[in-house]
């Protein structure tokens, strides 16, 4: 019997996609030329006035090259792993002997730090050598392992070098020997999901089914009674990694998505990064095991998250307490978290759902998170980063309000907990993997990023060249070049933000069948055939569900895939006093003076005048309104000028 999901839609490998795009090429170049070298300096504690990383130093101590104490967070190893993964992707795109040499030296160091039994973790090697696997709830051992496994797979695929891959196979074997349902093994799982999706990648490259089964064990075991985290807490003397003596028992923690078995979970809860990493692994397992109940859980959790708990920018996680989801429609703008890593995890989840089903809603969410929340997490110079991505900022509140200290008005050089910067680097470096998927006779385009790809369908080899002005004017042109004339299908996403898309083949307008957000063009293709798409990219307003209290009476501006915001640099202070009339015309134009040039949206609005306000806090007299020409910029571009107020949502005047 043919499995329903197995190999339904395959991603086109990174090595088969070359990006050449008017918007994204600069980001790819930035990651290669600036971000990867800068982050290497940060990992070695060589960035002036930045928080130290300790990451490379920890590996040197664990390897016995130097003496010293462990530094940084318990999961510091993962920063090195994500950096190596980004390097692997970068080398897939362009050879760089110097960078490869540096990476090989890091891999030598990592392998030196590995124990003979395969175990690898600098914290437990240096700080608590006798306590490995005793605090999975808090100490991220498998999280670090998972990231290093992902790095090993990426580096092997790009260079063919096996040293790190073989080391991570030994580590995975070590974990498999100690965890499972068999007598004498630990029936547990990590507090921070990551190992699950990494093991599936390891399975894909090695074809060793025990790695797939181990991932499945961690997913299946999660949330069962008796509760593992409680048992573990009792065994270690009811203490915590963070000190302070005996602590209360973990009580079926929604924070770790371990409150009930995963197939019974109905809504996104807890730490948002942990959640979407776990959902990504669940979707992967559906593909390889044909587990319908697991698919139903993925679908249910996806719909809850996207339809009730996602910000307009593609951010998830509405509270800084636990970096977590709260409840449906609770989406505050000025205290939210929307961690960069969480949106990257959302993109992982969306990509995997697209491998199960070709539905535009997955690619729409992937695009929303990528074009807004993710790239907002990094400055245009590649050397400053947001961990938190708010939708409203008042610099004085960030400085003086304890409840808003996590909201930064400027990006930071580095963080003591610096999971987000290398996560951005590895995503952008691997961006080619997110553009296309294929099955036997259909090539799907999910993101309109200018690129060239070579794929093999059942009918033969096909070369496609996509020239895209998508972000600027909504125009996309594809040159189709089959090795020989043959019939197959090209499927193109109809973006959810566009009110219409026009299609043409060789200059003749067509009306393709549209199913679940994709337009299917099936015909006999000849070398040099041209497909043209023209999206309706006009600026428009969006509104939030009535239960989103923070946005009552407000609107947000969008053009193409970009959500827009107001900044103090263009509109003055007290952005909250600006009101956009319901009938105001939205006008967009290219502004070469902002960053390297962006399309701005302008409109005639009104602002509450304060010059006639007496020296009193309240009064009976109505406020006086003055005319105000407002200027909105893409959200991803905010925070690259002088620090000031920022707001995504704008009050609307009826």
């Amino acid at each position: 019997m043919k499995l329903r999901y197995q190999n339904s839609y395959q991603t086109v490998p990174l090595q088969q996609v070359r990006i050449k795009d008017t918007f994204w090429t600069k980001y790819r170049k930035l990651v290669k030329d600036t971000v990867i070298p800068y982050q290497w300096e940060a990992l070695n504690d060589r960035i002036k006035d930045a928080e130290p990383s300790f990451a490379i130093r920890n590996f040197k101590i664990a390897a016995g090259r130097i003496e010293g104490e462990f530094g940084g967070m318990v999961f510091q190893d993962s920063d090195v792993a994500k950096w190596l993964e980004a390097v692997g992707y970068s080398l897939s795109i362009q050879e760089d002997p110097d960078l490869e040499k540096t990476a090989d030296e890091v891999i030598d160091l990592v392998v030196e730090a590995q124990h003979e039994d395969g175990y690898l973790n600098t914290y437990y090697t240096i700080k608590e050598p006798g306590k490995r696997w005793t605090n999975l709830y808090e100490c991220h051992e498998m999280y670090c392992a998972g990231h290093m496994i992902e790095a090993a797979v990426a580096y092997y695929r790009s260079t063919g070098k096996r040293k790190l891959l073989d080391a991570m196979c030994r580590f995975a074997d070590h974990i498999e020997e100690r965890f499972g349902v068999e007598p004498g093994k630990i029936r547990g799982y990590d507090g921070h999901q990551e190992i699950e999706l990494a093991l599936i990648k390891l399975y894909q490259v090695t074809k060793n089914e025990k790695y797939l089964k181990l991932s499945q064990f961690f997913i299946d075991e999660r949330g069962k009674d008796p509760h593992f985290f409680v048992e573990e807490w009792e065994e270690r003397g009811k203490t915590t990694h963070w000190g302070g003596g005996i602590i209360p028992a973990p009580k079926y923690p929604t924070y770790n998505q371990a409150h009930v078995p995963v197939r019974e979970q109905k809504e996104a809860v807890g730490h948002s990064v942990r959640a979407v990493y776990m959902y990504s692994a669940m979707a992967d397992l559906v593909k390889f095991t044909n587990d319908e109940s697991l698919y139903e859980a993925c679908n249910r959790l996806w719909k809850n998250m996207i339809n009730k708990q996602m910000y307009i920018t593609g951010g998830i996680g509405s509270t800084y307490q636990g970096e977590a989801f709260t409840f449906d429609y609770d989406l505050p703008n000025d205290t939210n978290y929307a961690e960069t890593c969480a949106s990257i995890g959302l993109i992982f989840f969306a990509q995997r759902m697209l491998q199960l089903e070709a539905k535009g809603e997955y690619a729409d969410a992937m695009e929303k998170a990528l074009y807004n929340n993710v790239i907002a997490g990094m400055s245009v110079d590649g050397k400053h980063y947001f961990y938190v991505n708010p939708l409203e900022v008042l610099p004085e509140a960030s400085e003086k309000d304890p409840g808003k200290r996590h909201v930064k008005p400027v990006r930071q050089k580095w963080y003591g907990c610096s999971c987000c910067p290398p996560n951005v680097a590895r995503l952008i470096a691997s961006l080619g993997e997110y553009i296309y998927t294929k099955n036997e006779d259909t090539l799907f385009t999910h993101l309109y990023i200018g690129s060239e790809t070579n794929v093999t369908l059942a009918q033969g080899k096909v070369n496609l060249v996509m020239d895209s002005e998508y972000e600027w004017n909504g125009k996309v042109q594809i040159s189709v070049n089959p090795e020989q004339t043959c019939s197959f299908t090209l499927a193109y996403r109809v973006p959810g933000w566009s009110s219409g898309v026009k299609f043409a083949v060789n200059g003749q307008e067509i009306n393709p069948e549209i199913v679940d957000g994709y337009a299917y063009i099936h015909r006999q293709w000849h070398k040099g055939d041209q497909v043209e798409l023209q999206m309706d990219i006009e600026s428009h307003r969006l509104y939030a569900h009535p239960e989103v209290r923070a946005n009552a009476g407000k609107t947000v501006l969008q053009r193409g895939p970009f959500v827009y915001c107001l900044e103090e640099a263009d509109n003055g202070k007290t952005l909250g006093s600006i009101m956009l009339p319901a009938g105001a015309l939205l006008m967009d134009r290219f502004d070469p003076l902002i960053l390297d040039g962006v399309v701005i949206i302008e409109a005639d609005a009104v602002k509450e005048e304060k010059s006639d306000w007496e020296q009193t806090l309240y009064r009976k007299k109505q406020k006086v309104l003055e005319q105000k020409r407002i200027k909105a910029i893409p959200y991803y571009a905010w925070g690259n000028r002088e620090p000031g107020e920022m707001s995504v949502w704008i009050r609307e005047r009826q």
Side-chain angles (χ1 to χ4, degrees), residues 502-563:
K502 293 181 179 179
F503 296 87
V505 175
N506 296 330
Q508 297 294 313
E509 190 168 328
I510 62 170
N511 293 299
E513 180 184 19
I514 297 176
V515 179
D516 287 335
Y518 283 85
Y520 290 80
I521 306 175
H522 180 80
R523 70 192 301 272
Q524 189 173 66
W525 297 95
H526 304 267
K527 187 174 183 179
D529 281 347
Q530 301 292 310
V531 179
E532 294 181 1
L533 286 71
Q534 181 61 62
M535 324 289 173
D536 181 357
I537 200 171
E538 67 177 9
S539 302
H540 57 271
R541 306 180 193 214
L542 291 172
Y543 301 90
H545 189 282
E547 290 190 52
V548 182
R549 300 166 309 286
N551 298 327
K554 295 181 179 180
T555 187
V556 68
L557 305 181
Q558 181 167 346
R559 182 182 185 274
F562 298 112
V563 172

Side-chain angles (χ1 to χ4, degrees), residues 1 21 60 186 218 239 244 282 482 503 514 528 538 607 637:
M1 182 180 73
D21 184 78
K60 288 180 178 179
I186 302 170
F218 287 133
T239 59
M282 290 164 60
F503 296 87
I514 297 176
E538 67 177 9
K607 188 174 185 179

